[in-house]
Amino acid sequence: MPDIDKFFAAIKAGEIETVEAALQADPALANARGPQGLSALMMALYNQQPKIAEVIKAKAKDLDIFEASAAGNERRVITLLAGDPELAKAVSPDGFGALGLAAFFGHAGVMQILLKAGADPDAPSRNQMKVTPLHSAVANRDGACALKMAHLLLAHRAAVNVAQNGGWTPLQQAAAHGNIELVKLLLENGADRLAKADDGRTAATLARSGHHQAVAELLEKPA
């Protein structure tokens, strides 16, 4: 197995000592990319390896707009956009925009910078997931962070009833997580409480499945 393949395998497996040793032997691996263009840093972030991500980030040079957005590096994002404002609308090799990545990883500050630079709050990912930044924002497990990001996107007129792959709307995702404040915010902005996913489930159904009684009752009240 080539060194780069071993390096990426160690990242996915969470083997931080192996990653550190590999970077010690070959620092250039911090900027390595897999066969589909996915960087080492993004591999660590996608696989929920924050400690490894920090190790790689410390060694990596010149993060691109996607890495900087996913890692929450506001200074780097500002620098990149100053050189090329169109990067706010760029799409990564795996189909995600910088705004969606910032939302998914919970970086409201980066999102604000990207939106100011012209990022489209409604742009779906160009892959089979078809997620918008609002989908990514409400999916965040930190309820307060999800609420803050949703406020930001809705202030920029993000569409509230858009469906991702599987027919899931932001309201359904918020209900599944039991985030009642986020559910209230989405309803106040016109979210359709009766919308059904492809499997027929509504936001109320998802709330009840997750034992979020108060959310289910709120959704079942007459509009």
Side-chain angles (χ1 to χ4, degrees):
M1 181 184 292
D3 287 346
I4 190 169
D5 292 340
K6 292 179 181 178
F7 182 60
F8 273 75
I11 293 171
K12 291 178 69 175
E15 298 170 356
I16 190 167
E17 292 181 358
T18 302
V19 170
E20 289 175 329
L23 288 171
Q24 184 69 27
D26 183 4
L29 285 172
N31 291 100
R33 292 185 179 272
Q36 295 181 335
L38 190 66
S39 73
L41 178 57
M42 293 304 300
M43 176 69 74
L45 291 171
Y46 280 150
N47 284 278
Q48 300 180 14
Q49 302 292 346
K51 292 182 179 179
I52 290 179
E54 287 300 316
V55 169
I56 294 171
K57 189 165 61 172
K59 298 279 189 180
K61 296 180 180 179
D62 300 330
L63 300 184
D64 67 22
I65 191 68
F66 311 113
E67 294 169 315
S69 297
N73 190 330
E74 295 182 20
R75 181 176 297 181
R76 178 62 177 164
V77 170
I78 290 170
T79 298
L80 288 167
L81 291 173
D84 183 2
E86 288 302 306
L87 288 174
K89 303 173 185 177
V91 179
S92 67
D94 56 349
F96 295 104
L99 181 62
L101 289 169
F104 183 78
F105 289 106
H107 302 303
V110 172
M111 290 173 65
Q112 193 159 11
I113 294 165
L114 290 165
L115 286 164
K116 186 176 180 181
D120 182 356
D122 290 329
S125 61
R126 295 182 189 174
N127 51 38
Q128 64 180 7
M129 296 177 70
K130 305 299 181 186
V131 292
T132 68
L134 187 58
H135 287 119
S136 296
V138 301
N140 195 288
R141 286 292 184 174
D142 183 329
C145 181
L147 186 62
K148 181 177 181 179
M149 295 189 295
H151 266 293
L152 179 59
L153 289 165
L154 291 169
H156 283 79
R157 302 182 183 279
V160 73
N161 286 311
V162 64
Q164 68 178 85
N165 185 42
W168 279 55
T169 65
L171 180 64
Q172 291 164 354
Q173 183 70 66
H177 284 184
N179 190 333
I180 194 165
E181 294 304 319
L182 185 52
V183 167
K184 289 177 181 178
L185 175 66
L186 294 170
L187 289 173
E188 289 167 1
N189 282 271
D192 182 1
R193 68 183 70 210
L194 300 179
K196 295 181 179 180
D198 291 353
D199 60 9
R201 290 185 293 176
T202 64
T205 305
L206 290 160
R208 289 205 176 278
S209 296
H211 306 290
H212 304 302
Q213 184 74 10
V215 173
E217 290 176 358
L218 171 63
L219 289 164
E220 289 167 350
K221 285 181 181 180

